[in-house]
Each structure stands twice: as structure tokens, then as C-alpha cells.
Amino acid sequence: MDYTESVVPFYDDMSFRRKFRMSKGTFHILSQYLKDLPEFSFDHPGGKEHVSVEKQLLMTLWYLGSCDTIDKMGDRFGISTSSVIRCRNRILAAVNRHLKRRFIVWPNAQKIPEVEEHFGQRNGFPGIIGALDGSHIEIKKPTLHGNSYINRKGYASLQVQAVCTDDMLFIHIFTGYPGSCHDARILRNSDLWQNGPNLCGENHIIADAAYPTRKWLLTPYRDNGHLNAAQKKYNKYHSSCRVVIERAFALLKGRFRRLKYIDASVKTAVIIIMCSCIFHNICLINHDDVNEFLEDADMLDPVLNPICVHDNYNDEGVRKRDLIAAGLI
């Protein structure tokens, strides 16, 4: 009884973090963001029992960080299952509506040189401001067009396309496409495809061979057994920098274990994924510990081997890649 009022306040920071997937300090900062939003002004009439913002947020974090059923959560938090769902949906909707544009942002002109420098410190690969990749989030097979969600591993999933910086901070998220879609198709249907040249300028993001090569998007050389020394070094350095996006996905799924399998509608699953990414960034910005959750993750999320598409190249991208490769020798 009174779990949030009588038990949670006495957790030490380690216990709190393990249960709610962030530190007490980050939780209180996030609570303050939410309290100022119109969704949580309780002046409206009605007979429903008032549930504090803190309690609603604790329930949502428990939901995202565990695989508990809604029934079990209702027992733990002492409210009905319908109230658990209502509180969860209210928090998720508010975070997605108000905090996404605040915490998932592309670096501005003042920030880009710093991001580029941090990537460059790894091995000298110049000009990188982000690493791009996709990841599959397993979901319950939808009843409508269910087969289109089955990926090459044989399970239903939603794709998440993400770009992150060297510190695993997401600067772009695009999600909602079925698991059967190819990475390159998802990119071409995202806002990043249209805005990428302007966002990157003379810089670039890096991605694996599933993506097209452009001046603003550099991929590895296709290994046909005849790569020269410069091309091999380019691929090695490129891979070393690109691993950060795999670590970001591993941290995301290690912290928010609900992303291992979402038993909800596609619409709700998309919001759950997006809000998990927002919370991921908030935790990193507030210097929450990451090692514990990276250890919990599969580390390298079962990544599906990229399918190379032969028309993925253009002259500007190839020339830029060749110049960088020559400069790394």
C-alpha cells in the first residue's frame, strides 16, 4: 500500500535507478518539465481521483523499464488498470508533444565544430557530425496488414531510424515504418533525406552499406576482395566511428526494456519508442550512468546484415569518399 508515497522516497539512488531507469536527480528535473505543461493542470472539473505528476511519471518509467503487465503495475501502484493506461498515455503524449523538439535536436552552427572534433578524436576521420542506422523494435503482429511488419528475421517489428553524436545523443529519430521495409527506403521517405544536405553542409553523417552514398552521407567501400590500402583503412576508421550508433541502440534498449517487445497498437508503439528516445537523451544530458544499462543490453542488438543496393552511389559522394580515404594514409 502507498508504494509511491511510503516506499519510493526511501530508495537510495542505486535502487531508484534500477527500478525507474534514471537517477533521482534526473527524475526530479523531468517532473518539473511536466508540471509546467497544460496536460497536468488539475483545475478541470470531474470525479476522477487526482494522481500526482510524480506518480504518473513513476508508473510510466516502470512501464518502459520493465516487462510487467498492466495488471501487475496496477497492483504495485495501487490503482486500477484503466488508470495505469490513462496515466501512461497522458505522460507519453505530453512528452512527445512538448519535449521532442526540445531534446532531439540537430546541432546548430555553433555546436557542429565541437561534435566534429569529438568524432575526429577517435581516429582522425574528418567531418563527421553523426552516425546513422536503423534498429528493429519487436511488436505484437498487427491484425491489419500484419505480414508487412514481418522482418527478415521472421518477427513483427517497427523500424527506428536514428542519428546520434559521438556521446550517443540522438539528434534525429524517425520511426513507424514496418519491419519489412529496407533501410534505404525508410531514409528516402524521411525528412532527413530532404533536409540532410542543408543540415550537414560541408560535413557528413556516416552509415553502413545499406544506405546510399551522398556528399552528406558517407558509407563504406563495398569489399569485393580488391580494395587498396587506402580504402581498407577508410572502412576500418569508418566502422570505428559508426559503432557509436550501435552502442546508442544498445543503451536505449538496455535502459528501456519494454523496447524488447511492445504489446500495443502500432500507433501507441510509435509513441512509446519516441518517448523512450527522448528520455534517453534527457538521461545523457543530465549525466546519468550508462554502464549499468549497457551491460543489461544485448550490446550489439541483433542487427540484420545490410543489403547493398547497386544504384546507391552518386558522383559527389564517391569523390568525397575517395578524397577522405586518400587523406587518411
Side-chain angles (χ1 to χ4, degrees):
M1 297 296 293
D2 300 324
Y3 172 66
T4 54
E5 296 79 15
S6 303
V7 178
V8 173
F10 295 98
Y11 284 146
D12 61 26
D13 200 61
M14 180 180 292
S15 298
F16 185 92
R17 186 171 63 249
R18 286 180 176 172
K19 289 176 169 61
F20 299 104
R21 320 311 279 175
M22 62 178 58
S23 69
K24 283 186 174 182
T26 301
F27 172 81
H28 290 305
I29 290 170
L30 183 51
S31 297
Q32 285 303 126
Y33 291 145
L34 296 175
K35 283 181 178 179
D36 296 332
L37 300 180
E39 288 88 341
F40 301 102
S41 61
F42 293 101
D43 298 331
H44 57 77
K48 292 188 176 67
E49 180 184 358
H50 167 71
V51 180
S52 69
V53 173
E54 290 85 355
K55 186 169 183 175
Q56 293 185 65
L57 181 56
L58 286 171
M59 284 189 288
T60 304
L61 292 173
W62 187 285
Y63 173 81
L64 294 176
S66 75
C67 298
D68 278 358
T69 64
I70 298 296
D71 284 340
K72 284 186 178 179
M73 288 184 58
D75 288 342
R76 174 171 288 274
F77 289 93
I79 62 174
S80 67
T81 55
S82 61
S83 293
V84 171
I85 295 171
R86 185 168 58 250
C87 291
R88 179 204 66 183
N89 289 349
R90 184 183 294 127
I91 291 285
L92 293 177
V95 169
N96 193 47
R97 185 178 301 117
H98 298 286
L99 300 187
K100 177 184 174 184
R101 284 175 289 184
R102 180 171 181 175
F103 289 104
I104 300 181
V105 293
W106 199 268
N108 58 29
Q110 291 72 38
K111 184 74 172 175
I112 280 178
E114 179 185 334
V115 176
E116 178 186 358
E117 181 183 0
H118 287 168
F119 270 110
Q121 288 171 355
R122 286 175 172 259
N123 51 33
F125 197 116
I128 303 173
I129 58 172
L132 164 71
D133 204 357
S135 185
H136 289 263
I137 305 295
E138 186 173 359
I139 61 170
K140 182 180 179 180
K141 183 180 177 181
T143 54
L144 187 62
H145 307 301
N147 287 337
S148 68
Y149 290 86
I150 304 299
N151 62 35
R152 288 189 287 126
K153 289 289 186 178
Y155 62 85
S157 66
L158 286 173
Q159 286 258 40
V160 185
Q161 174 184 282
V163 180
C164 76
T165 54
D166 183 64
D167 54 1
M168 298 187 286
L169 198 73
F170 293 126
I171 57 175
H172 166 85
I173 295 289
F174 182 74
T175 188
Y177 267 70
S180 63
C181 291
H182 188 272
D183 290 344
R185 179 188 170 194
I186 294 169
L187 172 63
R188 286 188 169 98
N189 282 280
S190 73
D191 57 319
L192 183 61
W193 183 250
Q194 298 297 325
N195 300 329
N198 290 331
L199 290 171
C200 293
E202 293 303 311
N203 294 95
H204 41 263
I205 59 178
I206 56 174
D208 66 27
Y211 293 95
T213 301
R214 295 293 184 269
K215 184 180 178 182
W216 59 274
L217 174 60
L218 297 183
T219 61
Y221 288 97
R222 187 179 180 192
D223 191 352
N224 55 9
H226 301 288
L227 296 182
N228 60 37
Q231 292 168 335
K232 288 178 180 178
K233 178 171 276 192
Y234 170 94
N235 278 4
K236 179 180 178 181
Y237 284 12
H238 184 282
S239 176
S240 175
C241 292
R242 198 181 71 243
V243 73
V244 67
I245 185 64
E246 297 171 1
R247 284 174 55 82
F249 281 133
L251 175 59
L252 177 70
K253 293 183 179 182
R255 189 187 297 276
F256 300 115
R257 292 172 293 189
R258 185 68 58 175
L259 299 184
K260 301 289 186 179
Y261 177 76
I262 302 177
D263 184 1
S265 68
V266 170
K267 181 179 179 181
T268 300
V270 168
I271 296 174
I272 288 169
I273 294 166
M274 186 62 72
C275 289
S276 297
C277 294
I278 296 167
F279 289 153
H280 165 99
N281 275 12
I282 291 172
C283 289
L284 288 177
I285 289 167
N286 288 285
H287 309 292
D288 258 34
D289 180 64
V290 302
N291 293 322
E292 178 180 357
F293 301 122
L294 274 171
E295 291 171 359
D296 286 349
D298 294 332
M299 206 30 234
L300 290 183
D301 174 39
V303 177
L304 306 183
N305 292 330
I307 299 176
C308 302
V309 180
H310 298 297
D311 63 352
N312 266 359
Y313 305 97
N314 79 338
D315 290 342
E316 278 191 326
V318 169
R319 283 197 298 269
K320 187 177 187 181
R321 184 171 65 181
D322 289 343
L323 283 171
I324 291 174
L328 292 175
I329 292 294

